[in-house]
Every structure is written in C-alpha cells, then in structure tokens.
Amino acid sequence: MRSRRSFVISVGAAIAAQRAVPACSSFMIGRSAQLRWAGGNTSKMRGLNCLQPFGYGITSGSSYISEPYINGGTDLHVMPDSRLALIKSIGFDIVRMCIDPATLTTAADTSRLKSLIGQLMTGILRRLTAGLLVIADLHNIDRAPVEGWGARDIATGISGAKFQRYVVVAQELAAAIEALNTPQHVAIELFNEPPFDSEILGDSWPNAQAPYLWRAVRNAAPRSTLLIGGAGYNSISGLISLDPSNFDDNTLYTFHGYLPPQVAFQGSPGMYRHVHALNFPPEPSERSAAITRLTKLVNADESLSASEKTTTIAKLTYLGRSSGIDMYFDRPQNASYIAAQMKTVTDWADLNRVPRNFIINGESGCNGDYNDGSGNIVGATLKTRTNMIRALCQSGDNAGICGYVVHELQGSGFAVSDADSFAFIPEIIAAMGMGS
C-alpha cells in the first residue's frame, strides 16, 4: 500500500499564487515526421534510471537543506566522468536523470529556483559530454522527501494551487533545457507515475491534467521531445487511456513495465513485502510452497490485525486476481504473458497511428536481495532478475518499441551496479543485450 503524509509545506503566498499559461482550446498541435530526440532513431535502446544525486532531495526537518542534490553524494562524487564513461562503454544509450520536483516547487523565490535549475543544467551537460542521451525526468513519487508534495498532492486538478505551481516549475525547467539547444539529446518527462484517477480528487489525469500540463510545457519548449505517461503509476492500462490527439508527434509515450509485479516487487515495501524467493519463469511445482511461505509470513506479521491478515492472504493466494501468486502460476505469467502485455501497448499504438518506436518501457526492474540497514531483505535471485529483464527487453524489441530503461543505478535491491566500485552486474548487462 502506498502511504502519504498529511503535513503541507507552505511555499509563500506569492509562489502559490503563480499560475501557468493556460492550455487553450485553440492551441495548435503541430505534426512532425519524427521525434527530435535521438534524431528519431529510437529502437532497441537501453537506458539506466538514476535517482542519484538529483532524484531525491536531502531534507532537514520539514524542508530541504541549502544544497539538496547530494543523494548518494554530490554529482561529481556519485557520477564522476569515469562512471559516465563506463555507462556509455557498456552500451547504455540513455540516462534517465531523475529530478525531485519538490526541490523546485518549494523554492522560496525566483532566485532560488533558478539556482537549482542551474545545477540541473550542469548535470545534464555533463551527461551529454559523455555521449549519453538524457531523459530529464520530473520524478514525482507518492512519498516525497517533504510532506505535502507527493504525486497525489500535486495531481489534484487543473485549478489546484499545487498543480499550478508544478506547471510553472515544469515550464521553467523546460525553458532552461530548451535554451541548451540540444533537442536531439535531451527529452523532458513531465510527471513520473501519475496516480490512479480513483485517487485524484480533481480532474481526470488522461482527459484533463495530462493534456493541460503537456500544452503548458510545449509552450515553453517547442522543440524538445516530451514524455507523457498514463494514470495508475504509468501502468499499461493508464497508457492506453491517453488520447494521442491531445499531443503532437514530438511526444514519446512511456509506461513502467514491472511485469509480472509479483516477481518485480517481491520483498519491497507495500503489497508484496511478504513475497520472497519467487522465481521467474513460474514453475507449477513451486506453487504450493510459494503460497505456504507467504501465508506463514503474513500470519507472523505482528503489525497486521487478524482481519488484515485474512484479507492479504486472500488477495494474493486464492481470489484469482492477476496480481496474486495463484494467478502467477495458474496463467502462467511467463515470457508469453509479458509479450501479451506488450501487444496491448502496440495494439493501442497501431489503432491510434502512433509509431511503435514512439513508446518506451521507461522504468522497470526486479528487486533482489538487499540490506537496507534494518536487516537483510530477501528478494529475487539473480537468475530470476536476469530472466525477467531479458524477457522484458526481448518482448519490447520484438514489438518494435523504443527500448527499455532499467531501474536502477544503485541504492536498493533493484540496483544493477555497485555504489562503491561502480561495477555493473554482468549477468544483468548481458540480459539487456549489452556488454562483451
């Protein structure tokens, strides 16, 4: 379950009152022959999701410190030139440079905002110098580093003060990126993982907020490729709810293909925290043991009430839901299942005359064993991680989409490289079709 905190940070009356240029109905959506980003040569690409150092600002108390972009260290520490060169040499085409938008939305004044954006531009230029393409990702998450600025706090409707503040900040960032004069090398992702429409109190994401945000940023960055994803945390169902007529042909559509989720998120906080050691592909002979293991872990969880234990076990073991362990084995959710999910994406693209290579699996991975400081977390084995990532890459390549962005550089069980030595896990690199 995703949690949210209730405390709302005040950013000052003048800041909160800022309103973006409205997305008028008369806005003319232009058409172009291809994406500007990557010169339109978007197929079988490989990307690396990087939260360090910009994606999760460092706080003290209820606000950001004066220099918040030190997640994992400064940019020169966590991403020195040698590491950027290694990322490029291994075969990555793209770095998805995650940016904590709340560092910008809570900036006390224009001077502070421009200073922070200046640091981000320096970071982008360093990655371009290394020969990498960049997706500058406004990385909203539900549990933001500061309270009151999570994804659900922002996506409250077009008239909402926080949504309007967010749009203004997105425009400022996009204008700075546009000024770099590198539209073939830097794309702008407008909103990481929008919530489900059922979690939004205001206007619908696909029908109102997404088109509004896209138009406002397009006004600020007329040449840059913009990335947009669907509700449900960039789910496939959210993607296919978007109407491409609301966007132009210099738009890249993104979804987060954590498939199957039971495998991808096992051991992670939330719905699958009691799922461990689930192998991919599913073997029918392992079904009973997997369900027994989960049932024991849920029943041993003293944080859950008796009714919560019953509900959790039911959801994951015998209700026949696609997200359950029972259906993981019974379907089975193997490489063919992943290919079927990919076909849902390409069917939508074909129906709406969106080139398939204008769609990217923009964030995906599999949680493995990890020590978060509180104890060892048992996730997927390395063999399962590589099998799953290989299936995702191959299904995307076979479907003709743009490519695959693996989550993540370092710092969790999803990590594909070591934070100290910078060495990549060779089995995962090979599963992505890279390396020697």
Side-chain angles (χ1 to χ4, degrees):
M1 297 291 293
R2 295 173 185 267
S3 63
R4 56 190 307 205
R5 294 177 284 179
S6 60
F7 180 81
V8 177
I9 286 191
S10 171
V11 295
I15 295 297
Q18 291 189 62
R19 187 172 179 85
V21 175
C24 302
S25 60
S26 60
F27 185 94
M28 297 300 294
I29 295 180
R31 299 294 169 186
S32 60
Q34 63 181 20
L35 296 173
R36 287 185 180 269
W37 184 68
N41 299 315
T42 51
S43 65
K44 299 183 179 180
M45 303 183 83
R46 297 293 183 259
L48 179 61
N49 197 47
C50 302
L51 281 162
Q52 294 79 21
F54 304 108
Y56 197 89
I58 304 303
T59 61
S60 176
S62 61
S63 60
Y64 289 104
I65 63 175
S66 60
E67 298 295 335
Y69 299 136
I70 55 171
N71 177 26
T74 66
D75 193 33
L76 288 173
H77 172 80
V78 73
M79 201 70 85
D81 292 346
S82 59
R83 193 177 200 182
L84 290 171
L86 176 62
I87 292 169
K88 176 66 175 177
S89 68
I90 280 176
F92 284 103
D93 307 290
I94 311 157
V95 287
R96 182 174 182 241
M97 190 178 112
C98 300
I99 297 165
D100 179 356
T103 60
L104 308 178
T105 56
T106 61
D109 51 40
T110 300
S111 176
R112 171 67 170 168
L113 177 61
K114 290 188 179 297
S115 174
L116 292 170
I117 289 176
Q119 293 179 46
L120 297 172
M121 294 308 102
T122 299
I124 288 173
L125 289 171
R126 291 191 62 243
R127 286 148 181 80
L128 296 184
T129 299
L132 292 159
L133 297 170
V134 173
I135 295 174
D137 160 44
L138 283 163
H139 199 76
N140 296 280
I141 57 175
D142 198 47
R143 297 182 297 275
V146 292
E147 297 185 24
W149 286 99
R152 284 184 285 181
D153 300 305
I154 295 168
T156 53
I158 290 171
S159 63
K162 289 191 174 181
F163 181 79
Q164 282 295 321
R165 172 59 176 164
Y166 181 83
V167 173
V168 167
V169 162
Q171 287 180 308
E172 290 284 346
L173 178 66
I177 290 173
E178 187 83 357
L180 296 178
N181 196 30
T182 56
Q184 288 194 325
H185 304 287
V186 186
I188 306 166
E189 187 167 351
L190 304 185
F191 198 111
N192 174 67
E193 297 195 343
F196 287 100
D197 258 11
S198 61
E199 298 175 308
I200 295 173
L201 299 178
D203 304 303
S204 162
W205 175 259
N207 299 325
Q209 294 190 76
Y212 185 102
L213 175 60
W214 180 90
R215 290 188 176 108
V217 175
R218 175 56 79 216
N219 281 331
R223 297 177 302 156
S224 298
T225 296
L226 306 182
L227 276 76
I228 194 76
Y233 303 90
N234 276 353
S235 66
I236 289 176
S237 62
L239 170 68
I240 65 176
S241 295
L242 293 174
D243 180 356
S245 68
N246 287 320
F247 315 105
D248 66 17
D249 286 350
N250 193 18
T251 301
L252 188 63
Y253 298 89
T254 183
F255 68 94
H256 290 180
Y258 287 97
L259 300 169
Q262 304 93 316
V263 178
F265 293 117
Q266 61 180 295
S268 300
M271 180 177 180
Y272 297 110
R273 68 184 184 276
H274 301 106
V275 179
H276 299 283
L278 196 62
N279 295 321
F280 183 88
E283 291 290 342
S285 61
E286 298 175 358
R287 183 186 192 276
S288 177
I291 290 176
T292 298
R293 186 166 57 244
L294 174 125
T295 301
K296 287 182 178 179
L297 288 169
V298 172
N299 283 328
D301 189 343
E302 296 180 355
S303 70
L304 299 176
S305 67
S307 62
E308 287 173 331
K309 291 176 181 179
T310 299
T311 300
T312 299
I313 292 168
K315 286 180 179 179
L316 291 174
T317 65
Y318 63 81
L319 290 183
R321 297 183 179 183
S322 61
S323 57
I325 293 178
D326 51 344
M327 289 305 295
Y328 174 65
F329 288 98
D330 294 348
R331 177 152 184 187
Q333 294 180 7
N334 52 20
S336 296
Y337 167 82
I338 291 175
Q341 298 301 302
M342 207 65 65
K343 187 176 184 300
T344 301
V345 171
T346 56
D347 283 352
W348 169 83
D350 297 346
L351 178 65
N352 289 281
R353 297 185 179 182
V354 172
R356 292 184 177 191
N357 67 326
F358 283 32
I359 305 170
I360 189 168
N361 190 346
E363 182 188 310
S364 175
C366 182
N367 190 45
D369 295 347
Y370 181 66
N371 189 335
D372 65 353
S374 63
N376 291 323
I377 294 172
V378 178
T381 64
L382 179 57
K383 182 178 179 180
T384 283
R385 295 182 71 198
T386 57
N387 285 345
M388 178 181 155
I389 288 170
R390 182 182 297 106
L392 285 161
C393 288
Q394 290 178 349
S395 66
D397 291 348
N398 292 340
I401 69 170
C402 170
Y404 177 86
V405 179
V406 69
H407 180 67
E408 64 176 324
L409 174 69
Q410 66 181 56
S412 74
F414 289 89
V416 298
S417 73
D418 184 77
D420 298 318
S421 69
F422 301 157
F424 282 86
I425 300 172
E427 293 87 349
I428 290 179
I429 296 303
M432 295 178 68
M434 302 186 301
S436 56

